Each structure stands twice: as C-alpha cells, then as structure tokens.
Amino acid sequence: AQSVAQPEDQVNVAEGNPLTVKCTYSVSGNPYLFWYVQYPNRGLQFLLKYITGDNLVKGSYGFEAEFNKSQTSFHLKKPSALVSDSALYFCAVRDGNTGFQKLVFGTGTRLLVSP
Amino acid sequence: DGGITQSPKYLFRKEGQNVTLSCEQNLNHDAMYWYRQDPGQGLRLIYYSQIVNDFQKGDIAEGYSVSREKKESFPLTVTSAQKNPTAFYLCASSTGQGRTDTQYFGPGTRLTVL
C-alpha cells in the first residue's frame, strides 16, 4: 500500500527567502506524485504533479518540486516566498500500477511566511 | 475550485439526523470522490465513483452513503450511524483515465453536529 510522510507540521520562513516543504513517499510501483495547497476554509488547489520525465517539475504560482527516486522524496520549493504563500500544503501519491489506484495524502504542512 | 460546487458551505446537524451534502461538477469528469478532513489527519477517502451508477467504498465508508445517478452529481449522506461526523467534507472529480489523471476539488462543506 502506498503512503506519504510530511515530517514537518509547520515551516516558518521570512518573505523573500527560499522555502522547502518536505515529502517522502512509499509505493510498490511507479510513483505519481502531487502537491496541493489549501487556504483556510477552502478546498484544495492543484499545484503540480510528477508522472514521468524531468525530475524538476514546475507548477503554479512559482512553485516547483524535485523528484528524487533514490531518496523517495518529492520536496516542494520556491525561490522567494511571499506572505500570500502562507497556507496548508499537502503531498499526495498514487501507485502507477494498472487499474484504479487511490490517491493517498500526507497529513499536511502549514507554511507561515512572515513579512 | 472552478467547475466543482458544493453546498451548503456550512451545515449544522442535530444528533440522530441524516444530512445530505451536495456535489456538482461541470467538468465532464467520469470519476468523483468524497473525502473527510480532520485536523492533523490529512484527507481520508469515504467513497468514490468511477462511472455513473457505480461506486465503491473508500477507507472510512461506515456511516455514510452515496448515489451516482447522474454524471455531474455525487451526493453524500451522513447518516445517524456515523459516530463522529463533525468534519470538513471535500468533493473531488477527475477524468479517471490515464497516468496523468488529476483530482480537482470543490470548496468544501463544514459539518457540525450540535
């Protein structure tokens, strides 16, 4: 069964500094990896995904994520954080085996960007 | 959130009552999903439907029921058998096909049991 770990409950960063939100995963087949963002009392917004190809994936709002197969990681990054990036971030994984495979979410990491 | 609507935004229920949460999508997606979100626990899958008139239980289906009579609609009923229904409920949809299949979410319904 697939699983996702987000080891940090909260990440604090100053505006203008680079940010990283960590995610590690476990699947039996090929991993399909996703990042979503959630603002208070709102649904999840899709940021980016890795299916295959380049290990560096670019997504919405200047975010990118680096897939590392040997470390089974898919960390979310942004070169320069904005106060408006403050939100709850979820990593998710789907097993690439054939047939329906559910999407499994991590417990979320709260990002707080200070002015 | 575009393309997926959930209503109501807030819902209050007395113990022993059944309530139904609405989810509608205009994305022409075949697959639809219901998740429950509790603080510190991420999202947990309640039910999913890959096609009209078919649905399957997810990880925490007990105390919930669904129907999928139309492609665009996937209502969730929280029954009195659900022991702790207070949570944030999220509906999602996707094409349900291919490696690049991506789920898109509605704005959510917050259910509170009084």
Side-chain angles (χ1 to χ4, degrees):
Chain A
Q2 59 264 43
S3 65
V4 173
Q6 293 183 245
E8 302 155 316
D9 290 335
Q10 182 163 313
V11 170
N12 298 305
V13 64
E15 188 173 32
N17 284 357
L19 69 86
T20 298
V21 182
K22 295 179 180 178
C23 172
T24 59
Y25 65 89
S26 174
V27 295
S28 58
N30 292 322
Y32 296 162
L33 294 152
F34 301 79
W35 275 103
Y36 289 85
V37 60
Q38 185 180 36
Y39 296 97
N41 292 311
R42 301 291 298 276
L44 275 65
Q45 294 180 27
F46 169 71
L47 280 178
L48 53 79
K49 64 185 175 187
Y50 171 83
I51 303 299
T52 188
D54 290 340
N55 291 340
L56 186 63
V57 180
K58 294 189 182 297
S60 305
Y61 313 120
F63 284 93
E64 56 190 26
E66 186 170 11
F67 171 67
N68 188 316
K69 187 174 183 178
S70 63
Q71 297 185 6
T72 62
S73 67
F74 189 55
H75 300 332
L76 182 69
K77 301 181 179 184
K78 188 174 183 181
S80 179
L82 300 172
V83 173
S84 58
D85 292 330
S86 298
L88 186 59
Y89 290 81
F90 288 98
C91 182
V93 67
R94 191 173 80 240
D95 195 316
N97 285 336
T98 57
F100 176 79
Q101 300 290 336
K102 67 180 182 181
L103 194 59
V104 174
F105 288 83
T107 54
T109 298
R110 188 165 302 281
L111 175 67
L112 182 60
V113 182
S114 55
Chain B
D1 298 349
I4 303 173
T5 57
Q6 291 186 242
S7 61
K9 187 174 178 63
Y10 298 97
L11 186 57
F12 298 90
R13 190 194 92 173
K14 294 181 180 179
E15 286 192 17
Q17 285 183 335
N18 293 354
V19 291
T20 298
L21 283 58
S22 171
C23 177
E24 303 275 335
Q25 54 98 359
N26 63 5
L27 301 171
N28 199 31
H29 284 166
D30 285 316
M32 298 186 73
Y33 313 81
W34 274 106
Y35 292 91
R36 171 180 171 141
Q37 183 179 15
D38 296 281
Q41 294 195 43
L43 276 70
R44 293 182 290 169
L45 183 64
I46 304 173
Y47 269 97
Y48 64 96
S49 169
Q50 294 177 266
I51 199 168
V52 176
N53 293 321
D54 187 45
F55 51 84
Q56 284 80 39
K57 294 182 179 179
D59 299 319
I60 56 165
E62 184 176 354
Y64 300 98
S65 66
V66 294
S67 63
R68 187 84 189 277
E69 298 177 359
K70 298 186 297 183
K71 184 176 184 177
E72 60 270 22
S73 178
F74 191 41
L76 174 74
T77 297
V78 184
T79 74
S80 57
Q82 170 50 235
K83 297 179 180 179
N84 185 21
T86 294
F88 191 50
Y89 290 87
L90 289 160
C91 177
S93 72
S94 73
T95 61
Q97 300 171 14
R99 296 189 303 165
T100 60
D101 187 44
T102 300
Q103 292 184 26
Y104 296 92
F105 285 79
T109 292
R110 186 166 297 280
L111 173 63
T112 302
V113 174
L114 303 174

